[in-house]
């Protein structure tokens, strides 16, 4: 498990992700977009990714297409609350 504070610069986060080589990402959509931009900018990939889950923010159709193109995967958008836990 690789946990990063929200203040972690995207370049540093991508460095750690590439080193860790995760199979799953659980991430805010806005962070996912920035991760993809940084990976593309630096010519790197995360080839082990099998599952991408987003939380808390809306996933746009543009981001879904970007994820499909870059990772070859679909985004699973989860909805929940602190009080009730994961709902969908």
């Amino acid at each position: 498990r690789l946990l990063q504070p929200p203040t972690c610069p995207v370049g540093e986060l991508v460095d750690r992700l590439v080193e860790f080589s995760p199979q799953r990402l659980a991430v805010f959509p806005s962070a996912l977009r920035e991760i993809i931009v940084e990976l593309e900018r630096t010519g790197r990939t995360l080839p082990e990714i099998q599952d991408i889950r987003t939380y808390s923010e809306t996933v746009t159709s543009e981001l879904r297409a970007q994820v499909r193109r870059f990772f070859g995967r679909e985004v699973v958008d989860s909805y929940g609350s602190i009080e009730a836990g994961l709902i969908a």
Side-chain angles (χ1 to χ4, degrees):
R1 197 184 256 208
L2 176 66
L3 301 173
Q4 292 296 300
T7 57
C8 181
V10 71
E12 183 180 325
L13 174 59
V14 167
D15 289 344
R16 291 181 183 187
L17 286 170
V18 168
E19 180 181 333
F20 187 72
S21 191
Q23 294 180 347
R24 291 175 183 82
L25 284 179
V27 63
F28 293 134
S30 56
L32 178 58
R33 183 177 299 105
E34 294 301 316
I35 288 167
I36 293 171
V37 167
E38 182 67 9
L39 286 166
E40 288 180 326
R41 186 186 74 74
T42 59
R44 296 184 285 178
T45 63
L46 296 173
E48 301 298 320
I49 291 294
Q50 298 174 16
D51 184 42
I52 301 169
R53 295 181 183 266
T54 59
Y55 301 90
S56 299
E57 301 170 350
T58 301
V59 180
T60 64
S61 58
E62 292 85 7
L63 180 57
R64 286 186 191 282
Q66 189 177 20
V67 168
R68 263 187 244 110
R69 179 181 48 77
F70 190 80
F71 291 108
R73 304 280 180 207
E74 295 296 323
V75 174
V76 176
D77 192 26
S78 300
Y79 174 77
S81 70
I82 292 172
E83 297 80 9
L86 187 63
I87 296 170

